[in-house]
Amino acid sequence: MLSIYSMIVISRRTRNSVLVYSKLKLLITASVSTWSPLATAFNTRPGRKLNLSLIKDDAGLFGVPELRSHDGFYAMRERTVWETEKLISEACGPDRTRKMVEIFDELSDTLCKVADLAEFVRIAHPQAAHSQAAEDACVSISGIVERLNTHQELYCALRAIVDGGDKFPMSSLDQHVAQLFLFDFEQSGIHLPETERKRVVALNDSILQVGQRFIAGAVSPRAIPRDSLPQNLRQFFSVDGDQVLVTGLYADSPNAMVREAAYRIYLHPDKHQEYLLSEMLSSRHELAQLCGFPTFSHRALKASTAETPDTVNQFLDIMTQRLHKRAAVDFDVMKKLKAATNTGSTEEDLAPWDTPYYTHKVKRDWLQVGSTEFSPYFSLGTCMEGLNILTNSLYNISLISDELAPGEVWAPDVYKLAGIRTSSFF
């Protein structure tokens, strides 16, 4: 599903802000009077189409024939294993007929095209069978990747062409790509003895699985006995038998007691979550130490834009210093608003569960504009057209609404886009 959030930020309630809004409204009205084909597709709710084709079978999820059912993920996983082994043999064998980086690029693509698809289906598909099969595929592919990252023979083959050159001519881009693949190897401890390499693989697998369980637990509803919540608050939450379910922070509720109850219940310490987090942090630290890094943050940031944890800390310190005074002013405004709204409250009463609510309230009061007034100018189609303008300007790629084949998606309101290069980018 595609979700787009838009917000217009206009200065505080002054005559100028009203003028700015009026001009903006006229400008947008003029520019969106005619919808493009892309905007039209997203602004028109699609209906379910009947399969009138003479072909009995559906195309399969996202046009992948194996995914006519969730069992197809297991077939894709097995095929990926077979193709991976074939490419490894080609890279390590004496009869190689193409550049090493081409084999590594195909190896990476073979794994990623299954892993990325499975990860999206795991998150987005509404049916549990598909979600579970996709999750199993994700775990399997991740295990293969970590095993390859400690594959000694494959590493030596790549190391040889980086140090001594390939028997096929390499461009500067080929050399850079080879260096990146080599770095991936070495940060996974490829240089370690066999016992420690196996430990690295086991740690990576544990970190992946424990991390997934921790994330799933972080967003799951919290259940408490019904009798432990005051009767006047139960009506605001879901009730399941003798339990009350709290599914979030209820940050937009105007009732302060509801916000406080949701905050305290939803974020209450969970021993199982603490155990998972401790296990993940411990495994990350051990992994970093085995691979020659002081901490896991050093390993994660290596070859990134930031490069080191010190750079990240400096950035955060600078941001904290520059934003501190502005944040203090904002908090002062929220305190005063709460004091004015709630009789008997003082300016010191601003609680953690108040901040999101009063932030939204202050913005709404200052703008003096309801979302219903500007939302017509920011329809899903208009936002998608804006995204199309960006991709076209940056990459010469146009987004075009494409026809769906039977069985490609699981609901009629899932859209299919084709990315078409309008001209040569390079």
Side-chain angles (χ1 to χ4, degrees):
M1 286 295 181
L2 181 61
S3 297
I4 296 178
Y5 295 87
S6 305
M7 181 175 70
I8 303 175
V9 178
I10 305 175
S11 57
R12 295 186 183 184
R13 184 175 51 186
T14 63
R15 292 182 179 178
N16 289 336
S17 69
V18 175
L19 181 60
V20 169
Y21 175 71
S22 299
K23 289 182 177 179
L24 178 64
K25 188 172 182 180
L26 289 173
L27 178 63
I28 295 176
T29 302
S31 63
V32 300
S33 58
T34 303
W35 286 346
S36 68
L38 179 65
T40 300
F42 278 88
N43 284 337
T44 305
R45 188 171 184 84
R48 185 175 296 276
K49 296 182 179 180
L50 297 176
N51 183 4
L52 301 178
S53 172
L54 297 177
I55 302 174
K56 184 178 180 180
D57 293 332
D58 287 337
L61 202 59
F62 301 119
V64 179
E66 290 92 338
L67 295 184
R68 292 189 179 102
S69 76
H70 65 273
D71 292 331
F73 275 111
Y74 301 104
M76 291 177 66
R77 181 180 63 187
E78 294 304 314
R79 186 186 66 197
T80 301
V81 171
W82 179 82
E83 291 177 351
T84 298
E85 294 298 332
K86 182 181 176 182
L87 290 167
I88 292 173
S89 298
E90 181 183 359
C92 299
D95 302 323
R96 181 163 52 88
T97 58
R98 52 178 172 160
K99 290 185 286 190
M100 183 68 77
V101 289
E102 291 180 357
I103 300 174
F104 269 75
D105 186 59
E106 184 177 344
L107 181 61
S108 176
D109 183 60
T110 298
L111 294 166
C112 290
K113 67 184 181 183
V114 176
D116 293 343
L117 173 62
E119 178 65 11
F120 176 74
V121 173
R122 182 186 73 82
I123 295 171
H125 205 288
Q127 295 179 5
H130 280 82
S131 181
Q132 185 59 54
E135 182 176 340
D136 293 343
C138 286
V139 172
S140 296
I141 298 300
S142 297
I144 295 172
V145 170
E146 295 305 334
R147 181 174 63 84
L148 292 179
N149 283 341
T150 56
H151 194 293
Q152 190 72 26
E153 188 178 3
L154 195 60
Y155 167 73
C156 291
L158 180 63
R159 176 94 257 179
I161 69 106
V162 170
D163 292 341
D166 202 341
K167 61 182 180 180
F168 300 98
M170 294 175 64
S171 66
S172 59
L173 180 60
D174 292 332
Q175 294 171 355
H176 178 67
V177 171
Q179 290 282 358
L180 291 176
F181 279 124
L182 192 68
F183 171 75
D184 286 340
F185 268 121
E186 292 179 345
Q187 78 162 352
S188 296
I190 192 68
H191 56 289
L192 300 173
E194 183 178 0
T195 302
E196 295 181 1
R197 284 202 309 272
K198 290 182 178 179
R199 179 59 180 162
V200 167
V201 173
L203 285 169
N204 272 309
D205 184 59
S206 173
I207 291 168
L208 174 68
Q209 295 193 41
V210 172
Q212 286 182 338
R213 291 200 296 269
F214 176 79
I215 292 173
V219 297
S220 63
R222 303 295 187 263
I224 62 169
R226 183 179 178 180
D227 294 339
S228 65
L229 193 67
Q231 189 171 0
N232 63 318
L233 296 180
R234 295 173 194 170
Q235 59 180 315
F236 297 99
F237 303 101
S238 300
V239 177
D240 183 14
D242 293 332
Q243 291 187 318
V244 172
L245 299 180
V246 179
T247 57
L249 295 176
Y250 289 70
D252 58 348
S253 174
N255 189 318
M257 295 180 66
V258 171
R259 296 197 304 272
E260 179 179 0
Y263 183 93
R264 293 185 181 279
I265 295 170
Y266 195 70
L267 299 182
H268 191 271
D270 185 309
K271 290 184 178 180
H272 182 63
Q273 284 291 97
E274 289 182 8
Y275 167 77
L276 292 176
L277 182 59
S278 297
E279 286 293 303
M280 185 171 63
L281 293 176
S282 176
S283 296
R284 282 181 169 186
H285 185 68
E286 183 182 353
L287 174 65
Q289 299 257 295
L290 280 172
C291 295
F293 295 93
T295 66
F296 185 79
S297 60
H298 285 84
R299 179 179 182 270
L301 292 170
K302 184 70 175 176
S304 68
T305 303
E307 285 286 345
T308 66
D310 288 340
T311 304
V312 174
N313 285 329
Q314 289 175 12
F315 171 77
L316 294 176
D317 289 341
I318 292 171
M319 292 297 294
T320 300
Q321 292 171 5
R322 293 186 178 182
L323 293 177
H324 184 270
K325 290 183 178 179
R326 296 184 181 184
V329 172
D330 289 344
F331 271 86
D332 185 59
V333 170
M334 287 188 285
K335 288 179 183 178
K336 290 179 179 178
L337 180 60
K338 181 176 180 179
T341 304
N342 301 327
T343 305
S345 175
T346 64
E347 294 185 8
E348 289 74 26
D349 288 335
L350 195 65
W353 47 85
D354 291 328
T355 306
Y357 174 75
Y358 284 104
T359 298
H360 176 72
K361 183 173 176 58
V362 169
K363 287 181 180 179
R364 185 182 59 207
D365 292 348
W366 281 353
L367 290 176
Q368 290 288 296
V369 178
S371 61
T372 56
E373 294 187 47
F374 60 75
S375 59
Y377 306 102
F378 290 91
S379 65
L380 181 56
T382 304
C383 293
M384 289 304 301
E385 186 56 41
L387 179 61
N388 181 44
I389 292 172
L390 288 176
T391 57
N392 207 315
S393 300
L394 293 173
Y395 309 113
N396 286 349
I397 292 176
S398 295
L399 303 178
I400 299 174
S401 180
D402 204 0
E403 188 73 19
L404 282 165
E408 270 197 290
V409 296
W410 54 82
D413 56 352
V414 178
Y415 297 82
K416 179 183 178 181
L417 293 179
I420 306 298
R421 177 157 289 174
T422 53
S423 63
S424 179
F425 182 65
F426 296 100

